Amino acid sequence: MWKVVKSVLAAFFGVQNERQRSEDFQHGNPGAFIAVGLVLAAVMVGLIALVAILASR
Amino acid sequence: MRRKLALMTGAGSLCGVTPALANGWNMPVGVTDVSRDIHSLHMTIFWICVVIGVVVFGVMFYSLLRFRRSRHTDSANFHENTTVEILWTTVPLLILVGMALPATATLRQMYDTSEADLDVMITGQQWRWRYEYLGEDVGFTSSLSTPRAQITGEEERQEHYLLEVDEPLVLPVGRKVRFLMTADDVIHSWWVPELAVKQDTIPGFVNENWVRINEPGIYRGQCAELCGKDHAFMPIVVHAMESDEFDTWLADRKEAAAQEALGVDREWALDELMERGEQVYNSVCASCHQVDGSGSEPAFPALAGNEQLLSDVEFHIDVVLNGVPGTPMAAYRNNMNPVELASVITYERNAWGNETGDAVQPSEIQSRLE
């Protein structure tokens, strides 16, 4: 699970190393990546909204 | 090769010419706190871009020259480097966030039009500006005052060529002035660099902006949105006065407006109307119909010797009050007071060889407006 989160975060950032990438593609489950991706995207939107709300107070 | 190097050092030394940048080549520092913030933001980002440019092109040109083919350099042959990739992602991210923080802070300040001490309505019209001091019953039209002869080249151009108006917008120093900006016909843009205001004025919308001017003075600007034939001939002049001086000016204008409102009911002599009418005509009408009433066919008909107008005073009044749909002729019923309307119609019916002898009375116009 932690590995999936790490890979999704790397994708958000835009940089992933080759070893990790090939491992994900061989052993990973696409559904898990999509689910974690959606959750983390929602978290990111929430974080940005929070920063905006705090900054505009 | 040596020439290339010379070019590069030449470009390098250009960056050092900061005083030249401040003299007409760069945006002005301006006379409001916001304009100062914008200027320093602009300079900060400019220098960040210069540093990035020098580093990127420096590395690029160094690599091109140092490892060129004639030196038989072996090319490096590696696939990926996670550390470098993280670095070149993080560094631009930090730079962008570093630029976004102060920029956002300045934007928030610019958009905060609350708690203004004075509201001024700015209306763009083809091709002049109208200013109204809301709640003060003071409003006037501000038109280009550069003589036609300078534009046609018969006279020498003066210092403020195309940047001078008959009536400047007068504003107080040290007070927050809110602008409510709109247009009557097409999109214009009210732009005064020294105040760091460049705001589109759009028919049917009211945009807001504000200034708090720190130094008294005359600040000039132009329409910044292509709006037709005389786009270049509708400049903006702001006269910033000390607060008490401004109050006196505003009281005088209020008094004059009240006097004129009183004058609506009395009978006006032809001479009086002609005198006032000439003033109004040259400020508002002459940009299209020309100072001598000769017009500019086909869009702007001649008024001198115009049988249709001269034979029918009702038609003439209707055209000026309500405009002519489908043509550039605007409706002036809300832009001028009855005295101005009556006098300009009288002037048009009795100037340039037009000799109807009609003295259109302000009271007549007043009853038409109600």
Side-chain angles (χ1 to χ4, degrees), chain B residues 135-146:
Chain B
E136 305 285 352
D137 287 328
V138 173
F140 52 86
T141 301
S142 174
S143 310
L144 177 74
S145 63
T146 299

Side-chain angles (χ1 to χ4, degrees), chain B residues 289-303:
Chain B
H289 294 290
Q290 309 304 321
V291 176
D292 60 1
S294 63
S296 175
E297 302 282 356
F300 311 113
L303 302 180

Side-chain angles (χ1 to χ4, degrees), chain B residues 299-321:
Chain B
F300 311 113
L303 302 180
N306 186 321
E307 276 313 312
Q308 205 188 356
L309 283 187
L310 298 179
S311 63
D312 187 353
V313 64
E314 291 299 313
F315 172 71
H316 193 164
I317 294 173
D318 181 58
V319 165
V320 175
L321 258 54

Side-chain angles (χ1 to χ4, degrees), chain B residues 51-106:
Chain B
V51 169
I52 293 173
V54 166
V55 169
V56 169
F57 283 98
V59 170
M60 191 176 97
F61 279 104
Y62 172 78
S63 315
L64 280 174
L65 297 172
R66 173 71 181 77
F67 303 108
R68 65 187 184 275
R69 190 176 181 168
S70 58
R71 281 213 175 176
H72 307 291
T73 324
D74 285 330
S75 56
N77 192 7
F78 61 90
H79 182 256
E80 54 163 318
N81 185 328
T82 313
T83 319
V84 174
E85 284 171 30
I86 287 172
L87 221 79
W88 79 40
T89 311
T90 314
V91 170
L93 183 80
L94 291 179
I95 293 173
L96 284 176
V97 169
M99 297 199 295
L101 285 178
T104 311
T106 306

Side-chain angles (χ1 to χ4, degrees), chain B residues 129 131 142 163-170 190 192 218-222 235-239:
Chain B
W129 296 97
Y131 302 115
S142 174
L163 289 174
E164 50 199 344
V165 296
D166 51 358
E167 284 221 61
L169 171 64
V170 178
W190 197 86
V192 180
I218 308 271
Y219 307 111
R220 294 170 199 275
Q222 286 169 298
I236 297 147
V237 179
V238 173
H239 185 176

